[in-house]
Amino acid sequence: MRLPSTTLRVLSRSSRSLATASTSASAYVAPLKPGELAAYDQALLFLAADKAAKLGQLEQLKQDGLAPEVLERAEVDAWVNDPETRWRAKSRLGDMSKPVYRHLAERAWRKEGDLAVLMQRVTQMSVTPDLLPSISPLADVRISIAGKTIVPGVFALPSETREGVEVEVQVFHAEERLYTLLMIDPDVPDEASRSFTTYAHWLIPNIPLSSTLTTLPTSADALLPYIPPHPQQGTPYHRYTLLLLAQNTSINLDAAAIEREAFSVRRFVNEHALAAEGVSFWRAKWDESVTEIYSDVLGTTEPRFGKPPKRDWHSEPRAPKYQIQ
């Protein structure tokens, strides 16, 4: 088996934002100059006074030694209505180490439609409960194929994912936590049961992620190296699903003990006390490029499937309905 030369990459959106900020010459410019609109000037004065008052309250809370989560909420409350802060968050130029930018990024993801579209596709196309009983995302996982970020559930050609896809992950917590990234196909035909089974295409455990972490795993970190999608001829569309699984602690896995075929996501999650906190997927159907994937990458003969032929009752001899005595 010859593996693709390019594997999947996990990217932190914060790293993209910081790169954009460092290379962009743009800076915040107020939509109106002072004196152009009195009401706007008064609104800015009100927001500035409100921010100053809340920052003063924040300093008092720090002196009182309150819990970090209380201080974080107070800091968000002080900065959340600041015009420049809002602009930087909208432009993805915010410093994700600061609570207010984490708050605004997560709120935009949850409230502006991205999460709603994702969950609509996940439930409509039965990713849940086929893989897991339910998924409640806490992280924004996005997939780019052929250089374009896809909407969850769209179709992609097998040739476009032969050498890998890009996976963009944004978590909203400041502290470093460990995750496992799993790519699974739940639509592999199972001849024995005349149904479907699963296939694990890619697996990386122990990925450290935070809102600002930019140290990314390499191909050497993959426990199961990337195998490109290869939907079998004669089968319906396949749902190639990426799951971001939160770990409680570092996990030790033996690649030799893991079977790609009939990989049970439920059992894997339960055995290692994982929690599904991110998901996205795309669909693919067989085309002629899959034949080359079987020969060049998998090094095996391509199978073909189809519906069993219908029984032709009219071609079978039957006893006469009536007999003359």
Side-chain angles (χ1 to χ4, degrees):
M1 180 184 297
R2 186 185 68 81
L3 299 179
S5 59
T6 304
T7 59
L8 299 180
R9 293 188 291 163
V10 182
L11 306 175
S12 168
R13 188 171 306 152
S14 60
S15 65
R16 174 182 293 183
S17 300
L18 292 175
T20 304
S22 63
T23 58
S24 174
S26 63
Y28 174 70
V29 178
L32 294 176
K33 295 180 180 180
E36 287 188 4
L37 184 63
Y40 179 75
D41 293 341
Q42 289 299 315
L44 290 182
L45 291 174
F46 175 83
L47 292 175
D50 180 69
K51 181 178 72 173
K54 289 177 178 177
L55 288 174
Q57 295 171 4
L58 175 60
E59 291 302 319
Q60 184 60 51
L61 293 176
K62 290 179 180 179
Q63 294 177 13
D64 294 341
L66 295 185
E69 57 270 19
V70 175
L71 299 178
E72 183 170 306
R73 286 196 300 268
E75 183 176 344
V76 169
D77 194 34
W79 285 97
V80 72
N81 292 318
D82 177 68
E84 182 174 354
T85 299
R86 287 294 190 94
W87 175 82
R88 290 190 174 278
K90 190 72 174 179
S91 304
R92 292 189 178 181
L93 299 176
D95 181 355
M96 292 294 283
S97 67
K98 295 182 178 180
V100 66
Y101 289 113
R102 297 196 300 272
H103 168 80
L104 290 171
E106 182 174 11
R107 187 171 72 177
W109 172 59
R110 291 186 177 279
K111 300 295 185 182
E112 295 180 6
D114 290 342
L115 180 57
V117 170
L118 170 66
M119 295 312 297
Q120 185 261 347
R121 299 294 177 87
V122 164
T123 54
Q124 182 186 57
M125 299 177 192
S126 300
V127 174
T128 58
D130 286 358
L131 286 174
L132 289 170
S134 64
I135 299 174
S136 299
L138 298 177
D140 185 5
V141 177
R142 305 194 185 208
I143 301 169
S144 293
I145 295 176
K148 296 181 180 180
T149 302
I150 65 166
V151 176
V154 300
F155 280 94
L157 298 175
S159 59
E160 294 177 317
T161 56
R162 172 169 172 164
E163 298 299 331
V165 300
E166 290 186 1
V167 183
E168 187 179 357
V169 177
Q170 179 65 68
V171 296
F172 303 104
H173 49 79
E175 70 280 7
E176 184 178 309
R177 301 177 190 173
L178 293 177
Y179 291 88
T180 292
L181 193 66
L182 170 66
M183 178 177 165
I184 192 84
D185 174 10
D187 301 309
V188 179
D190 184 358
E191 294 181 88
S193 65
R194 300 186 68 177
S195 182
F196 296 93
T197 186
T198 56
Y199 184 88
H201 281 262
W202 193 67
L203 177 65
I204 292 184
N206 303 316
I207 302 173
L209 290 176
S210 73
S211 60
T212 58
L213 186 61
T214 58
T215 302
L216 309 175
T218 65
S219 58
D221 297 305
L223 188 73
L224 298 181
Y226 176 69
I227 298 294
H230 46 278
Q232 293 77 17
Q233 185 174 1
T235 62
Y237 67 72
H238 291 233
R239 297 160 293 172
Y240 294 98
T241 306
L242 281 161
L243 294 171
L244 186 69
L245 306 171
Q247 303 173 198
N248 291 325
T249 185
S250 179
I251 57 177
N252 295 316
L253 301 173
D254 181 7
I258 298 177
E259 294 289 340
R260 289 183 183 264
E261 297 182 3
F263 183 97
S264 173
V265 178
R266 283 176 168 85
R267 184 168 60 248
F268 182 73
V269 166
N270 291 333
E271 285 180 356
H272 302 287
L274 305 175
E277 293 191 357
V279 62
S280 193
F281 71 104
W282 75 93
R283 293 179 289 169
K285 296 182 68 175
W286 182 90
D287 64 18
E288 293 180 353
S289 67
V290 175
T291 303
E292 296 181 357
I293 294 174
Y294 267 96
S295 61
D296 299 345
V297 179
L298 301 177
T300 186
T301 303
E302 179 186 12
R304 295 184 179 183
F305 296 89
K307 294 181 179 179
K310 293 183 178 180
R311 187 173 181 179
D312 187 356
W313 295 96
H314 299 287
S315 66
E316 298 180 6
R318 292 182 294 176
K321 189 173 182 180
Y322 302 102
Q323 292 185 355
I324 300 177
Q325 300 294 331

